[in-house]
Amino acid sequence: MSKRISLDQTGRNKLNKAFPHLSRVSIWNALTWKTDSEISRKVRYVAVKQCGGVIVDGGMSLEWETSHEEVEKTMTQTLGTRFKLVLYKETGVSVLLVDGVEKRRDQGLTIPEWEALQAEVEQMALTM
């Protein structure tokens, strides 16, 4: 099974209303990564963020998983197999890892800033 975004009928209806200028085939091509244009990326983003879509990649959905490591005093959030956010609770440092490589390091993010970082990572997952 290849990468796609799964939507229920309600979600599909919402997506069609959000993009009335696109044909159903164009939307399907965007949801199955057959096309990769700016509008396709917008369709994928809206499908996941506003229409309840779930990314399915080879049979595995990409959803945030959160774990708290008490000894290390960290919180780790993973998205699929490629993306990891680590928050060091004592220092307030947060690190974004993509494929095990540090891509970003921040100090003292507020909750809205953390949520914005999560949204940025989700967008990266949609486009990579």
Side-chain angles (χ1 to χ4, degrees):
M1 177 186 299
S2 60
K3 189 172 181 180
R4 64 182 173 80
I5 296 176
S6 177
L7 288 166
D8 63 13
Q9 189 60 48
T10 302
R12 277 189 228 120
N13 291 340
K14 283 178 76 173
L15 193 60
N16 288 331
K17 287 180 184 174
F19 295 95
H21 59 286
L22 295 179
S23 70
R24 289 178 188 248
V25 171
S26 295
I27 290 174
W28 180 83
N29 284 336
L31 295 177
T32 57
W33 271 264
K34 303 288 185 210
T35 56
D36 191 32
S37 63
E38 183 177 341
I39 191 68
S40 296
R41 289 187 290 274
K42 286 180 183 179
V43 168
R44 290 191 285 268
Y45 183 81
V46 170
V48 171
K49 297 303 270 183
Q50 298 176 8
C51 300
V54 175
I55 299 172
V56 179
D57 189 4
M60 183 177 106
S61 67
L62 295 177
E63 297 178 359
W64 286 108
E65 291 185 26
T66 303
S67 63
H68 296 269
E69 297 77 30
E70 296 303 321
V71 173
E72 296 86 0
K73 295 186 170 115
T74 61
M75 176 185 73
T76 303
Q77 292 188 311
T78 56
L79 182 66
T81 57
R82 300 187 64 200
F83 302 93
K84 185 181 288 189
L85 286 171
V86 180
L87 173 65
Y88 295 88
K89 296 176 184 178
E90 287 188 330
T91 62
V93 170
S94 59
V95 177
L96 167 62
L97 301 165
V98 179
D99 296 327
V101 177
E102 184 176 319
K103 295 293 184 181
R104 179 172 168 176
R105 179 177 289 261
D106 295 288
Q107 174 71 42
L109 292 178
T110 64
I111 291 174
E113 290 170 332
W114 180 267
E115 291 172 344
L117 178 58
Q118 287 175 317
E120 182 181 326
V121 172
E122 289 169 1
Q123 185 64 35
M124 288 170 56
L126 289 171
T127 60
M128 292 180 86

